[in-house]
Structures are given as C-alpha cells and as structure tokens.
Amino acid sequence: MTYTTVHVPISGGDSAVDCLVTGSGPALVLVHGTGATPEGNWGPVIDALKHRYTVVAPTLSGSGSTTDAGGPLTVGDLVAQVLGAVDAAGLDTFHLAGHSLGATVAAAVAGARPERIRSLFLHAGWAVTDPWQAFQFDLWQRLLRVDKDLFSRALQVTAFGAKTLAGRRAEDFEENVAACNALFDADGMARQAALNIQVDITEALGKITAPTLVVSGSQDLIVPPHHQRKLAAAIGGAQFLELDCGHALPFEQPELFARAVTEFVDRQQAAAA
C-alpha cells in the first residue's frame, strides 16, 4: 500500500490530504469515521478487495498525517477532500463506502456528484445531529480537553455492543484503551467531534441515485439505529440492514464488517458488468 499527498482547498485554506491508494481494477473509495485512519478503519476490507479493486482511502482533516490551517471543519470540507483524492487518482466513477462520520460524508459526496457513484455503502451514518448526539459530542470535546485517556475509557463503554463488552477481561479493556489512545490525536478528534454537532446533509439525500445499502448496529449508542432508518428512507431505493453489534463494528467484529462491505460491492459490480 502506498500513500500520496493531495492538496485540496477547503474553507480554511489549503489542506494536504494523506491518501492511501492500492490495488487495481474498478475503483472503491473508503471514508473513515471520527478520529480514525484508513488502515485503522478499513484494514480487513482493504485486504479483501485490493486484489480486485483500486482502493482509494483519504485521511480526512483531523486524522492521521493530513494537515490544514486548523480551523473549524465542515462536511463540505471533507467532501472536497474525498473528491480531491479521487480526482488525483484519475478515477471517474467509483464505488463508495463510509463508516460513522465517513458515512455521512460519503452520502454528501453521493448527493453532490451522483453521476460518479456506482454504489453506496453507509454504516452508522446520520443525516442531522439530534440533541442526544450533540450532548454526546460536546462531552467528547470536554473529555479530550482534560485527558485523552479519559475519553478513550469512556468510548469503550459506548462504542461497543453488550456481547463484546461482556466477553472482555480486565486486561482487554486496558489493551483497547491503549490502542484507542494510539489511533487519534486529541486536538484533531475534538475538531471532528465539533463538526459532528453541526451535521445536516438533508438536502443531499434526495439527490442520491446510486444503489445504496444502509447498515445499522442494533446496539449503537453513538448513532442509534433510528438515524440509519431515516437515512435509508430518505435515499430512493436504499436497502436497510441491521446487525447485532455496537457502533464500532469495524473494530468490534472486523470480519463481519469486511464481509458486509465486500459482498455488497461485489454484487453491485457484478450487476453492472
């Protein structure tokens, strides 16, 4: 896997977007969630598909090595970064998948450029932030300002499903906290959490024309299932699938997550062939 740097103008000025590009074949663009990175969020999916697809996965502002002026972020900024990465890779049409904030951004991309999207996979996304989420994302920012480790500990009991948590030993919790601390930068995570509070992509949803699968975790406390049902209802012809998991499906059950994505993309690719 190789990374390239793509310069994309956003509302705060220039951004230097770190972008993973690997594989060959039809294009698949992967958009990570809040605080994550392409490999951290999509590792098993990339491994499963890189031999048959050209995989492009930008690192959004606030995550990884991507840099910008450091101001407030908008969904439009992240949409520009996704499209900038795709254009730099020389891709015209592409399959598109997103997790959490990445699903919201992916849906906004699909609404902005519907003619370029071959299929759309959305896991744990939402269209409009409600008071429950706004309170939660504000709490994230407060915790991050005090101690990143406190935030990572709180995330362990909200991001994962009950079955996963019930099966953990004390040392498992500590290992997962350490892994979470290593994944993100506190300031960048706080910037993305602030963006999460401002989300409203309602207008984009009616413009989406690609075959779409919306996936929800039945135990998701961060973006509860009613948000995914609303997404599916607002996108013409979208299918809805609910899985027995929490919000952090890519980390909680990576094999199940990879299978859900790969089977959907493969079906859409075969249908178009």
Side-chain angles (χ1 to χ4, degrees):
M1 287 182 281
T2 60
Y3 276 84
T4 61
T5 299
V6 180
H7 288 272
V8 180
I10 60 175
S11 58
D14 179 67
S15 63
V17 180
D18 206 21
C19 185
L20 182 154
V21 181
T22 189
S24 61
L28 169 63
V29 177
L30 305 175
V31 190
H32 65 75
T34 307
T37 62
E39 288 181 274
N41 201 148
W42 298 101
V45 176
I46 295 169
D47 289 341
L49 292 176
K50 65 183 179 183
H51 302 294
R52 293 176 286 121
Y53 293 86
T54 297
V55 177
V56 176
T59 304
L60 305 176
S61 279
S63 289
S65 299
T66 290
T67 60
D68 60 33
L73 296 170
T74 69
V75 171
D77 290 334
L78 306 191
V79 168
Q81 291 182 332
V82 172
L83 291 173
V86 172
D87 290 343
L91 306 177
D92 183 16
T93 61
F94 50 93
H95 300 280
L96 179 60
H99 160 72
S100 191
L101 173 60
T104 296
V105 172
V109 170
R113 299 303 302 271
E115 76 284 359
R116 300 184 66 178
I117 312 303
R118 303 181 68 175
S119 71
L120 181 62
F121 177 96
L122 305 174
H123 171 248
W126 73 102
V128 182
T129 302
D130 65 14
W132 173 346
Q133 292 175 292
F135 183 88
Q136 177 177 217
F137 297 139
D138 176 71
L139 176 60
W140 285 12
Q141 293 176 78
R142 292 168 186 261
L143 288 171
L144 287 162
R145 285 195 292 268
V146 173
D147 185 344
K148 182 169 81 168
D149 187 74
L150 286 179
F151 168 80
S152 294
R153 290 177 181 278
L155 202 61
Q156 300 307 309
V157 295
T158 56
F160 296 89
K163 290 182 180 179
T164 297
L165 294 175
R168 282 186 177 177
R169 304 164 299 166
E171 52 265 40
D172 294 329
F173 281 101
E174 295 301 328
E175 289 174 4
N176 278 273
V177 167
C180 189
N181 284 337
L183 182 63
F184 66 89
D185 168 77
D187 291 338
M189 183 74 162
R191 290 176 70 205
Q192 291 183 2
L195 166 58
N196 289 349
I197 295 176
Q198 307 300 323
V199 164
D200 185 345
I201 61 164
T202 307
E203 291 187 9
L205 300 180
K207 300 174 183 177
I208 296 172
T209 58
T212 300
L213 176 63
V214 178
V215 178
S216 173
S218 61
Q219 302 170 56
D220 193 336
L221 298 177
I222 293 174
V223 187
H226 69 267
H227 283 284
Q228 285 89 59
R229 294 193 187 98
K230 289 179 180 178
L231 268 182
I235 299 171
Q239 298 177 325
F240 177 79
L241 173 65
E242 188 168 281
L243 299 175
D244 184 18
C245 62
H247 181 78
L249 178 59
F251 309 94
E252 182 177 357
Q253 299 184 57
E255 294 172 355
L256 176 59
F257 181 67
R259 185 165 66 249
V261 179
T262 57
E263 288 180 354
F264 174 72
V265 175
D266 281 345
R267 282 199 309 270
Q268 302 312 312
Q269 181 63 27

